[in-house]
Every structure is written in C-alpha cells, then in structure tokens.
Amino acid sequence: MSAIPRTAPTPLAERPAWRALLEHHKKTGTLHLRDLFAADAGRGERLTLEAAGLYLDYSKNRITDETIALLMGLASECGLRERIAAMFSGEKINVTEGRAVLHVALRAPAGERMLLDGVDVVPEVQAVLARMTAFCDDVRSGSWRGHSGRPIRNVINIGIGGSDLGPVMAYEALRHYSRRDMTFRFVSNVDGTDFAEATRDLDPGETLFIVCSKTFTTLETLTNAHTAREWALRKLGDERAIRRHFVAVSTNAEEVAKFGIDPQNMFGFWDWVGGRYSMDSAVGLSTMLAIGPEGFRAMLAGFHAMDEHFRSAPFERNLPALMGLLSVWYNDFFGAQTAAVFPYDQYLKRFPAYLQQLTMESNGKHVTLTGAPVGVQTGPIYWGEPGTNGQHSFYQLIHQGTRLIPCDFIGFGKTLNPLGDHHNLLMANVFAQGEALAFGKTPEQVKAEGTPDWLVPHRVFEGNRPSSTFLLSELTPEALGKLVALYEHSVFTQGVIWQIDSFDQWGVELGKVLAKKIIGELEGSGPAPGSHDSSTTALMERYRKQQG
Ligand code: G6Q
C-alpha cells in the first residue's frame, strides 16, 4: 500500500491544533517555572512518566496541563496513531525512496510476525542473527583462526555514517561488557590518518576487518577497505588470507563479491533498514563480537520493549511521543534552534554524536511528503557532551546566555564503576543543573549574599530554562536499546508532525556524487575551464600546486 498522500494535507500552520498552540503560547509562553512549581506542590511528581524501565521527569518544562492536552491534540490531528501503525505494518512510508521503514522488525522476537508486502520478515532477521551468533562464537572462542593460524584479537569496523556511528557508540556504551582481551577500532574518515592510526600497532595476522556498507559503493568505506586489503596482504602475502581476515555487512552481495569477500562471510540486511536505524541489524556485528550474542539479544529486547510501548501506550503516557511533541513545542513555538543532550555517564560519550545523525539526517528537511514547503521550522540542531565536562565550558551559555536551549539529562541510579563517592558527585550535578536552570537566582537572592550592586546583574540567573531528566537504573545492553529506540521514535513523532520524510537523506547522496567528479580533476589535468565557479577553481589549482 502506498503511503504517498494523494493530496497535500492542510499546511501545518493552518491546522486548528497548531493555531490553538500558537494562541496558548501567547498566553503562557512567559510563565516562569518558579511560579508553575509554586502554584502546584505536586508538579515534580505529577509531570513524570515511567515506562519500559525508564523514568522521565518532564516537570521542568515550560508547559501547563493545557499545553500537554493541546500537543496531544496536535498529534491526533496529524495522524500520529495512524502513522505509527503504517510504520509497523510495513507501509512504504519512506515515500521518496519508495521503501518501507521496518527497523522495528530487527528487534522483534522470533515468532512475532511483521509483514512486508504480505511476507513475514522476522524469520529472515532471525536467520541473519543466527549466522552472526555462530560467527561471533567462533571468533570469540578462538576457533575462527587468522590465515597464519592465530586467533583474532583485533576487530576493525570500516564504515561511515550509519555504518559507523551506531557501532562506535554501542561499543563505547557497552565497553563494560566487552571482551577486554580484544581490541575494537572503527575507521570511518577517508583521511588516511584514520586508518593509519587505527592500525599502526596491530598485527594483520590477528586482525579482522568488518567492511560495513549498506550499498558497498561508498567512496570512503571502499577506499579504506582497499587500503586495509593492501595492509593485510603486505604482511600475510597471500590472497587466500582475505577469507580469514575480511567479512562484509551489506545489502549488495554483488559488490561484496567483486571486492573479493567470500559471500559466506557476508551478513546481510535489507533496504527497509535506514543506515542511521541499523545499529541493531548486522551493522552491529562489531557490537556482538564485543559483548557476545547474549548481550546483543538483551540490547534487542530493550529496543523491542520501547517499540511496544511506543506502539501501544496512549500519547499522554507515551515517552517517545511526549518527547517528540515537547521538541516541536520548543522548536516551533519558542523558536529554540538547538536541543542539548547530556548523558551523565562516561560510557555514553559518543551518544550525542550518534543522536546528531539520527535526529538531523532524519528531520533536516524543508518540504513535506507531497513536496510542499513545510512552512515552519523543522529539525533542531542536536548537540551534547557527557556530564560533567560540559559544565566547565559551554553550560555558561545555557545558564546565562540569550538563547533558549532545552536540555535532556540522562542519569543512572547505579554506576558500573563504583569508586568512592564519584557516582554521588556525578548525580548531584545532574540534579543541581536541572534545578539551577529552572529556578535560577533572583537579584534579591544575589544581593542577600552580600554582592555589591554593580555585580548583581552579572550574578543573576534568570532561570526558566527547560530540561527533562531521564533516570535509568543501570547502563546495560537492554537499557541502551531502550534509550536508542526512545530517541528513534521521538524523531519519528516530530517528523509526523512536520509531515516530512524522516527516512530519506538526499543531502547525503549529493555529497557522495560531488566529490567523485572533483577527484578526477585533481588527479588528472585539473579543472576544465568553466567547469566550476572561480572560487572552487582557484582552490583546486592552489591545492594542485601544493602537491607539486
Ligand atoms: C544513513 C545515511 C548515511 C549512510 C552512509 C554510509 O542513514 O544513509 O549515513 O549510512 O552514507 O552508507 P553505506 O552504508 O551505504 O556505506
């Protein structure tokens, strides 16, 4: 069934629910969190939500009960319920690429049915998982040997974008559970430095490369893969070594074979898995090698728990729906341009980078599904750093700058590395930041501290800076799956409201084509007269001179 809307839906800005929110914002937009809390003693307990093992305190957001009701109305009016159903039932909701969006099938338990064009895809997913499991067991047990008979100690994932950011993030996040006697590295950049530094201290005889590319045509990945091939062959000296040291993750068996990787050593996935939604497919092979098949299955179970919650919970008790709607509220009604995500857990240090792709590649769109201008602002800029590091640099701007930056704080009840009172100190900072952002410090309070009058304005914190706080009990593979699925579905919710295609990436495709033309010119006789603008031509000529 086609999901292309036949006629353009009512532009968002003309929808009654949107107009109602505009009116509501005019009336309530300046309300201060201090007053909202003062007027409602139970706010901090009431505006919370617990689901699938995640606790969300959203009370420090600039909302009233009416805001929530109006946002829920907007979700209904934009057909969020129907769009969720369309995604889960395999409709081709990625309209510009004519594809279904079924990453939820990657984590569906064996036996559950998920149909695409009438065919259940879950058995295929489970079959790949079974092959991944057998392979990972072999490598981890040492029964898979390198060409010279030695076990694999180093794994290098070569991929970029969706074929890199998820694997890196998951490896870092779940390092606590990973094989400490193995080295895991990730090469993504076409800059030779990335490959050189990742391999300089490794022995090719003990190194396994995972060439991870959905299309197997991506310039960066193929360049790095060929370099890896030469690097391995220089030492191992025998083409047959490739079988023991290279595996592929791809949807393109033909190109994999052309590269020289045995199809037996290829782990497949499908065109209905978007790159940035693929860390739980075979793209997660490095994750499974690191934490083992059981850990990987636990992560999938976490994803699935959040999927089920998103699919079935009423919107007012639905974590991803609520998060997505709050994001729209700040982005479109308060004009917030960015959103910050601060995991207070060192293992989640790559989580913000991962989210940048997930959110910005998905919702950085200017036209609706029918090609009409969206007419309102879409995808906010996501950014962040693990706490507490950011507090000693850019938090200043969030506290006292002129911009509104809604923040997500993510904390855990228990640490994986109990050391003295480190964890209490860490978590004290989460609570302190949320409190300070919301309530600030008034001139009266600053004066009462004995501050001279001239210094008072500098030491005042206006407060009224919104944040949401997530508390989970412990960073486990399951918890990571839940967190990622939470943001995936929040992104989807936002895309549904804006009526955009959150699953294509034409901007990325453009980059893939443009550089190819210029490489030929740089390596050949230079740019042909008139083939580029004067700036690009001059830069290319200067570069060619520098190269001698
Ligand atoms: C993700 C994007 C993009 C993609 C990379 C790598 O959603 O499509 O980031 O993942 O360009 O593509 P390949 O996996 O095909 O090499």
Side-chain angles (χ1 to χ4, degrees), residues 351-374:
F351 194 61
Y354 171 77
L355 283 185
Q356 283 188 321
Q357 183 191 24
L358 180 67
T359 57
M360 289 154 73
E361 201 170 284
S362 297
N363 285 341
K365 312 287 162 68
H366 72 295
V367 292
T368 65
L369 293 167
T370 56
V374 183

Side-chain angles (χ1 to χ4, degrees), residues 159-165 212-218 221-222 269 274-278 357 361 503 505 508-509 512:
I160 196 163
S163 299
D164 168 71
L165 287 158
C212 189
S213 174
K214 182 172 166 180
T215 54
F216 227 78
T217 55
T218 303
T221 300
L222 269 284
F269 60 118
R276 55 195 174 277
Y277 296 87
S278 68
Q357 183 191 24
E361 201 170 284
F503 301 102
Q505 56 283 312
V508 177
E509 310 305 332
K512 289 188 181 185

Side-chain angles (χ1 to χ4, degrees), residues 133-304:
T133 300
F135 174 73
C136 290
D137 283 342
D138 282 353
V139 172
R140 287 163 59 88
S141 68
S143 66
W144 176 284
R145 301 258 153 184
H147 183 63
S148 42
R150 276 177 294 145
I152 298 298
R153 289 189 206 289
N154 318 308
V155 174
I156 302 189
N157 186 80
I158 298 181
I160 196 163
S163 299
D164 168 71
L165 287 158
V168 183
M169 183 279 288
Y171 171 66
E172 292 295 345
L174 302 176
R175 210 177 182 142
H176 178 80
Y177 305 91
S178 74
R179 278 282 292 264
R180 299 301 185 137
D181 57 345
M182 291 174 76
T183 300
F184 289 85
R185 294 196 181 147
F186 300 84
V187 173
S188 53
N189 199 337
V190 76
D191 182 341
T193 300
D194 204 7
F195 182 85
E197 288 294 338
T199 49
R200 61 189 298 279
D201 55 345
L202 302 186
D203 178 344
E206 299 179 333
T207 302
L208 175 78
F209 288 97
I210 303 173
V211 185
C212 189
S213 174
K214 182 172 166 180
T215 54
F216 227 78
T217 55
T218 303
L219 178 88
E220 291 88 339
T221 300
L222 269 284
T223 306
N224 279 318
H226 281 286
T227 302
R229 205 171 187 281
E230 282 159 30
W231 179 81
L233 287 180
R234 218 175 299 134
K235 177 84 182 281
L236 301 170
D238 183 347
E239 279 285 332
R240 283 173 306 172
I242 300 301
R243 312 194 40 242
R244 309 305 298 169
H245 295 273
F246 282 79
V247 298
V249 172
S250 188
T251 56
N252 190 344
E254 207 180 311
E255 287 299 321
V256 168
K258 261 196 228 159
F259 180 85
I261 294 179
D262 186 342
Q264 297 281 334
N265 294 343
M266 170 177 148
F267 300 88
F269 60 118
W270 305 271
D271 73 355
W272 42 262
V273 182
R276 55 195 174 277
Y277 296 87
S278 68
M279 60 169 275
D280 46 345
S281 70
V283 168
L285 189 64
S286 56
T287 314
M288 194 191 266
L289 280 165
I291 65 168
E294 247 180 67
F296 196 81
R297 292 249 179 207
M299 183 181 82
L300 296 184
F303 270 101
H304 182 66

Side-chain angles (χ1 to χ4, degrees), residues 488-539:
E488 283 179 350
H489 297 321
S490 162
V491 164
F492 177 68
T493 300
Q494 295 168 53
V496 169
I497 301 297
W498 293 318
Q499 304 167 358
I500 58 180
D501 188 337
S502 298
F503 301 102
D504 62 10
Q505 56 283 312
W506 297 104
V508 177
E509 310 305 332
L510 174 73
K512 289 188 181 185
V513 177
L514 287 183
K516 283 194 183 145
K517 171 171 185 274
I518 293 187
I519 290 164
E521 296 167 338
L522 288 180
E523 292 178 349
S525 52
S531 62
H532 297 279
D533 60 89
S534 59
S535 158
T536 309
T537 306
L539 285 168

Side-chain angles (χ1 to χ4, degrees), residues 271-394:
D271 73 355
W272 42 262
V273 182
R276 55 195 174 277
Y277 296 87
S278 68
M279 60 169 275
D280 46 345
S281 70
V283 168
L285 189 64
S286 56
T287 314
M288 194 191 266
L289 280 165
I291 65 168
E294 247 180 67
F296 196 81
R297 292 249 179 207
M299 183 181 82
L300 296 184
F303 270 101
H304 182 66
M306 188 54 69
D307 293 344
E308 284 305 295
H309 166 70
F310 181 54
R311 169 150 72 166
S312 57
F315 294 148
E316 58 281 5
R317 308 297 306 155
N318 192 314
L319 281 167
L322 186 64
M323 271 178 80
L325 291 165
L326 283 173
S327 180
V328 171
W329 175 235
Y330 290 119
N331 188 64
D332 291 304
F333 297 91
F334 285 85
Q337 294 180 338
T338 80
V341 181
F342 300 129
Y344 276 65
D345 190 300
Q346 186 62 20
Y347 285 124
L348 289 177
K349 67 180 181 189
R350 295 288 304 209
F351 194 61
Y354 171 77
L355 283 185
Q356 283 188 321
Q357 183 191 24
L358 180 67
T359 57
M360 289 154 73
E361 201 170 284
S362 297
N363 285 341
K365 312 287 162 68
H366 72 295
V367 292
T368 65
L369 293 167
T370 56
V374 183
V376 300
Q377 290 290 340
T378 59
I381 298 154
Y382 276 78
W383 59 285
E385 275 288 315
T388 57
N389 300 6
Q391 290 174 212
H392 297 265
S393 65
F394 50 74

Side-chain angles (χ1 to χ4, degrees), residues 51-55 107 279-280 298-310 319-320 323 351 410 412 470-490:
L54 253 99
Y55 178 81
R107 48 266 194 153
M279 60 169 275
D280 46 345
M299 183 181 82
L300 296 184
F303 270 101
H304 182 66
M306 188 54 69
D307 293 344
E308 284 305 295
H309 166 70
F310 181 54
L319 281 167
M323 271 178 80
F351 194 61
I410 302 170
F412 294 88
F470 291 95
L471 271 185
L472 292 86
S473 56
E474 198 173 25
L475 179 53
T476 58
E478 202 176 344
L480 182 70
K482 288 176 185 174
L483 263 182
V484 173
L486 172 72
Y487 279 92
E488 283 179 350
H489 297 321
S490 162

